[in-house]
Amino acid sequence: MANTKELPELQVFKTVLFHCLIIIAFPVLSFFMSKIFIFDGLLGKNSISSNVYSAGVAIVVLHIALAAFIYRAYFDERSKTEVKKD
């Protein structure tokens, strides 16, 4: 009986951990990738303006990642607990 309860809790933990890593890693990666390749390299912006534009990109990516986590938490069918009827 304990095994059936631990499995969903482990799955929930893995899902939350996965989304936490995405929420942390994607904005940081998008900041540096957009700064180096797009704003510094392709568009040739100066350092301050490329930092500002890259921060904007990172903010947008962060909001998308947060929205994905909220959507998954709210609409995921597996996260709904079943009520045990005796």
Side-chain angles (χ1 to χ4, degrees), residues 14-63:
K14 286 180 181 179
T15 302
V16 170
L17 182 64
F18 174 73
H19 282 317
C20 285
L21 292 174
I22 286 176
I23 288 168
I24 293 169
F26 278 12
V28 173
L29 289 174
S30 68
F31 176 84
F32 287 109
M33 298 298 278
S34 64
K35 178 177 174 32
I36 292 169
F37 293 116
I38 296 173
F39 299 116
D40 284 345
L42 188 63
L43 299 177
K45 297 281 184 187
N46 64 8
S47 180
I48 294 172
S49 64
S50 68
N51 284 340
V52 171
Y53 292 137
S54 298
V57 170
I59 289 170
V60 169
V61 169
L62 173 64
H63 281 86

Side-chain angles (χ1 to χ4, degrees), residues 19 57 70 82-83:
H19 282 317
V57 170
I70 292 169
E82 294 181 15
V83 177

Side-chain angles (χ1 to χ4, degrees), residues 2-18 78:
N3 241 354
T4 59
K5 187 173 182 172
E6 289 176 11
L7 184 62
E9 289 176 359
L10 181 63
Q11 185 63 33
V12 169
F13 176 75
K14 286 180 181 179
T15 302
V16 170
L17 182 64
F18 174 73
R78 291 176 290 168

Side-chain angles (χ1 to χ4, degrees), residues 66-77:
L66 286 171
F69 174 70
I70 292 169
Y71 180 83
R72 176 83 186 257
Y74 189 74
F75 290 111
D76 192 15
E77 289 296 322

